[in-house]
């Protein structure tokens, strides 16, 4: 419980004492939006690294050379833990917006930082709003912002299983031509979700797959790009499981 208390305390203090920084970031955005995006990225990356340190999380990263540094991408990953956001966000080389559930809008200060980072808020029960979010994400990519989606739609609560990857998420890549970067996250639920409310010192593996350019795939794979990407992540996941031994 000590780690949980320390993490919760740090997060609360950060959200309170970073309010002046939010004001500074708002002012910066009035003159230079790109600078605001990059400074917000640096601040939140620092906070996430502190949380991971307090939580005792060791992240082993593989395949990071597969992430292009000179263009926006669509990150696609499996999802088992709230910590998946922290684990993946501290590795992004450029401003990146995550697709988050609309319930996050209820948390002041946190939602301000998320908006600074180009996060978009999805109502999973409103198909029309979901389409608007996808089109907004397409515009973000066209402006140079990467997007990250966990296309299972919610956290998968069953170890070593995968839920269906929603095909609509992949329109962001098909409409912009940006590469899809598969992210395989292994053992992240062991940090917190597998033994609530305890936070456990844990080793996590994050592996980036080769970029996928939809137009370079056979037509049949283009039509089932969600299943195609899921198969890549599943294959990577079970390979990691076999090699890691935990």
């Amino acid at each position: 419980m000590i780690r949980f208390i320390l993490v919760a305390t740090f997060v609360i203090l950060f959200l309170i004492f970073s309010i002046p920084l939010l004001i500074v970031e708002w002012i910066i955005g009035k003159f230079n939006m790109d600078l605001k995006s990059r400074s917000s990225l640096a601040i939140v990356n620092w906070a996430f690294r502190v949380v991971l340190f307090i939580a005792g999380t060791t992240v082993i990263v593989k395949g990071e050379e597969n992430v292009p540094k000179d263009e926006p991408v669509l990150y696609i990953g499996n999802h088992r833990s709230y910590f998946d956001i922290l684990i993946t966000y501290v590795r992004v080389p450029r401003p990146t917006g995550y697709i988050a559930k609309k319930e996050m809008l209820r948390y002041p200060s946190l939602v301000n930082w998320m908006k600074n980072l180009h996060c978009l808020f999805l109502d999973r029960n409103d198909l029309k709003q979901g389409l608007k979010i996808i089109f907004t994400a397409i515009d973000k990519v066209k402006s140079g912002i990467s997007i990250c989606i966990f296309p299972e739609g919610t956290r998968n609560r069953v170890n070593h299983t995968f839920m269906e990857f929603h095909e609509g998420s992949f329109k962001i890549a098909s409409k912009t031509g940006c590469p899809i970067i598969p992210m395989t996250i292994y053992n992240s639920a062991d940090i917190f979700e597998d033994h609530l409310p305890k936070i456990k010192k844990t080793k996590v593996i994050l592996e980036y797959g080769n970029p996928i350019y939809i137009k370079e795939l056979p037509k049949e794979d283009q039509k089932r790009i969600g299943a195609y990407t899921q198969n890549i992540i599943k294959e990577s996941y079970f390979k990691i499981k076999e090699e890691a031994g935990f």
Side-chain angles (χ1 to χ4, degrees):
M1 283 296 292
I2 294 177
R3 291 184 189 276
F4 175 82
I5 293 169
L6 290 174
V7 167
T9 300
F10 173 80
V11 170
I12 292 169
L13 291 176
F14 172 79
L15 292 176
I16 293 172
F17 289 105
S18 67
I19 291 174
L21 287 176
L22 283 171
I23 296 171
V24 172
E25 292 293 280
W26 178 80
I27 295 171
I28 291 173
K30 291 293 183 180
F31 300 96
N32 190 327
M33 187 57 70
D34 181 63
L35 178 59
K36 175 185 177 182
S37 294
R38 294 189 178 278
S39 58
S40 291
L41 173 64
I43 292 167
V44 172
N45 266 349
W46 171 82
F48 281 178
R49 289 180 187 277
V50 172
V51 171
L52 291 171
F53 175 78
I54 296 171
T57 303
T58 300
V59 182
I60 299 170
V61 182
K62 300 181 179 182
E64 199 161 20
E65 68 278 3
N66 292 321
V67 182
K69 305 297 189 295
D70 57 350
E71 63 177 328
V73 306
L74 174 64
Y75 294 100
I76 294 291
N78 57 306
H79 191 27
R80 284 278 288 117
S81 172
Y82 289 117
F83 278 82
D84 293 337
I85 292 93
L86 284 70
I87 290 164
T88 56
Y89 205 88
V90 297
R91 311 304 308 186
V92 299
R94 62 190 300 122
T96 301
Y98 279 52
I99 305 293
K101 57 185 180 181
K102 71 167 187 174
E103 286 79 6
M104 300 303 295
L105 290 167
R106 70 181 68 161
Y107 302 111
S109 185
L110 174 60
V111 71
N112 296 100
W113 281 113
M114 293 179 73
K115 288 180 177 179
N116 281 3
L117 298 172
H118 304 280
C119 292
L120 302 172
F121 302 91
L122 178 68
D123 183 348
R124 289 172 290 191
N125 297 315
D126 187 337
L127 181 60
K128 184 179 292 186
Q129 190 264 358
L131 289 173
K132 288 182 179 179
I133 291 296
I134 295 299
F135 286 125
T136 302
I138 289 170
D139 289 338
K140 293 280 187 185
V141 171
K142 288 180 178 178
S143 70
I145 306 297
S146 292
I147 294 293
C148 179
I149 297 181
F150 300 109
E152 289 169 293
T154 187
R155 283 181 298 113
N156 185 353
R157 291 169 170 78
V158 182
N159 271 327
H160 312 310
T161 64
F162 289 78
M163 296 187 293
E164 179 185 1
F165 279 22
H166 298 298
E167 296 284 342
S169 308
F170 295 84
K171 290 185 181 296
I172 298 166
S174 64
K175 296 295 185 181
T176 63
C178 77
I180 297 169
I181 303 297
M183 300 187 303
T184 306
I185 307 167
Y186 180 77
N187 204 44
S188 60
D190 193 47
I191 302 171
F192 182 54
E193 281 77 7
D194 285 349
H195 36 71
L196 298 170
K198 179 182 177 182
I199 290 179
K200 177 184 171 185
K201 185 176 181 180
T202 303
K203 185 182 294 184
V204 176
I205 297 175
L206 168 63
E207 181 168 340
Y208 296 98
N210 293 318
I212 302 169
Y213 291 89
I214 293 179
K215 291 183 179 179
E216 296 179 1
L217 297 176
K219 291 293 184 182
E220 190 60 33
D221 290 331
Q222 290 185 32
K223 292 177 183 177
R224 302 175 59 255
I225 186 61
Y228 177 87
T229 306
Q230 186 191 61
N231 285 338
I232 290 173
I233 293 174
K234 283 175 69 174
E235 183 177 335
S236 172
Y237 181 94
F238 288 108
K239 180 181 177 182
I240 291 170
K241 182 176 182 291
E242 182 178 347
E243 293 176 348
F246 62 87

